[in-house]
Amino acid sequence: MDVLDLPFTRTRHDRAAHRRTEPDLVARALADPTTRAVVLHRGRLAVAGEPARAALLPASGLPDGLALFLGEHDGAACLAVVLPADDDPAPPAGADAWAGLRDIAREQVAALAADDDAAVLAHGLAVEAVALAGWHGTHGYCPRCGAPSEVVQGGWARRCPVDGRESYPRTDPAVIMAVVDDDDRLLLGHAATWAPGRFSTLAGFVEAGEALEDAVRREVAEEAGVTVGSGPGDVVYRGSQPWPFPASLMLGFRARAVTTEVRTDDDEVTDARWFTRAGLLAAVEAGEVGLPGRASIARALVEEWYGGELPGSW
Ligand SMILES: [Zn+2]
């Protein structure tokens, strides 16, 4: 288990990257009765069951769409089938509904806590499928010449038929940090776009040519006017979580503040406050503060600092 045990990180399947260059990999998998596939439409998954999870459907009877190789499990190929965005399809046979990963996050957290093998398999495939499908949805053209590109390597690359340029799925790193002062208080911020009372850890994208530790210090300074130390142990990595909405990888840190005066940028972040453990618990119980959802690394970082589960947010 990693430092933080997080939803969206658990998986049972093997990505089997060495197979991606096999000739006709996807076509052969689609003809194999042991193959299982998750089906997506506009970033939403065909889900089934109670609690809802991504349906793993047999290859026979799958709707037509872009088929991508996710890996294998117990010797069987695992695919994603991405339906055309402009249709308004009913869920495929074997599924009950369409749902986004975040819509079923609550059920996923429970299944992961129970270490339910089938649920963890479905969960891991779903996260990979949403991330990979999202990339195909926005990268249909060659970045060099603009020609429509072709899907190759089982869906793990796109190739330009004109100039041969290959593109690969992108992941955008973002830092997210529990900033703690020398009195062991936690800094939480409120973003301009959030509902009143919602607070979370500060976060932001890593910029070009920037180290993660520098991104942590820059974001905290920009958003809250607080200085994070640059000494040994002042910025400590805690764990990561893919956040494929559409392509983020959240890199979680604990950071030590060396100043405490707060000055928000009033652009992205309109309020930032220091909380003691008792103060945060009281604010949450009084309904004055709403914390991020339990599927998020933000929640995990807050609760790691707190030393246990906090109430609220389902
Ligand atoms: Zn090209």
Side-chain angles (χ1 to χ4, degrees):
M1 188 181 293
D2 295 321
V3 182
L4 297 173
D5 187 27
L6 295 164
F8 301 160
T9 65
R10 299 272 296 280
T11 181
R12 286 284 187 276
H13 69 284
D14 177 355
R15 290 187 174 220
H18 62 281
R19 294 194 55 194
R20 292 173 189 166
T21 50
E22 288 179 10
D24 303 321
L25 171 66
V26 167
R28 285 186 293 113
L30 284 169
D32 183 337
T34 67
T35 294
R36 290 294 177 270
V38 295
V39 178
L40 301 95
H41 178 247
R42 288 189 194 152
R44 291 160 70 79
L45 295 149
V47 299
E50 185 59 48
R53 69 173 73 141
L56 302 189
L57 303 172
S60 60
L62 286 173
D64 288 335
L66 171 63
L68 310 169
F69 180 73
L70 299 179
E72 54 189 21
H73 179 70
D74 279 349
C78 304
L79 302 180
V81 175
V82 187
L83 304 190
D86 32 347
D87 295 351
D88 189 14
D96 312 324
W98 298 108
L101 272 182
R102 284 174 289 190
D103 301 331
I104 56 172
R106 183 175 183 167
E107 290 83 353
Q108 304 285 290
V109 170
L112 299 181
D115 205 31
D116 175 331
D117 208 58
V120 176
L121 174 64
H123 176 76
L125 290 169
V127 174
E128 184 182 340
V130 168
L132 189 56
W135 177 71
H136 284 285
T138 52
H139 290 77
Y141 299 90
C142 173
R144 183 182 290 155
C145 74
S149 52
E150 301 166 344
V151 177
V152 293
Q153 295 186 29
W156 286 93
R158 297 188 71 103
R159 187 173 181 281
C160 175
V162 177
D163 56 33
R165 183 190 166 113
E166 288 194 350
S167 313
Y168 302 93
R170 284 282 311 270
T171 296
D172 300 326
V175 290
I176 182 163
M177 41 275 170
V179 181
V180 179
D181 74 1
D182 286 344
D183 292 327
D184 214 16
R185 297 181 303 169
L186 178 67
L187 180 66
L188 297 178
H190 171 79
T193 55
W194 291 350
R198 183 177 168 197
F199 279 81
S200 186
T201 49
L202 303 181
F205 285 107
V206 180
E207 294 194 340
E210 186 175 44
L212 298 176
E213 294 83 354
D214 289 332
V216 168
R217 282 186 279 269
R218 176 182 54 75
E219 285 289 344
V220 175
E222 284 177 5
E223 295 186 343
V226 168
T227 302
V228 165
S230 53
D234 283 346
V235 177
V236 178
Y237 176 70
R238 302 304 300 146
S240 69
Q241 183 184 46
W243 198 249
F245 314 109
S248 298
L249 174 65
M250 307 305 295
L251 299 146
F253 293 85
R254 174 76 72 94
R256 175 175 164 260
V258 296
T259 67
T260 57
E261 188 185 339
V262 168
R263 189 188 65 254
T264 58
D265 61 13
D266 288 334
D267 179 21
E268 281 181 83
V269 174
T270 52
D271 192 4
R273 299 181 199 168
W274 292 102
F275 290 91
T276 62
R277 288 182 181 78
L280 182 60
L281 178 63
V284 171
E285 285 181 336
E288 294 161 7
V289 164
L291 293 175
R294 293 184 193 281
S296 65
I297 189 172
R299 180 74 174 219
L301 288 167
V302 171
E303 292 191 338
E304 186 189 41
W305 161 81
Y306 183 76
E309 282 194 14
L310 282 157
S313 185
W314 83 53

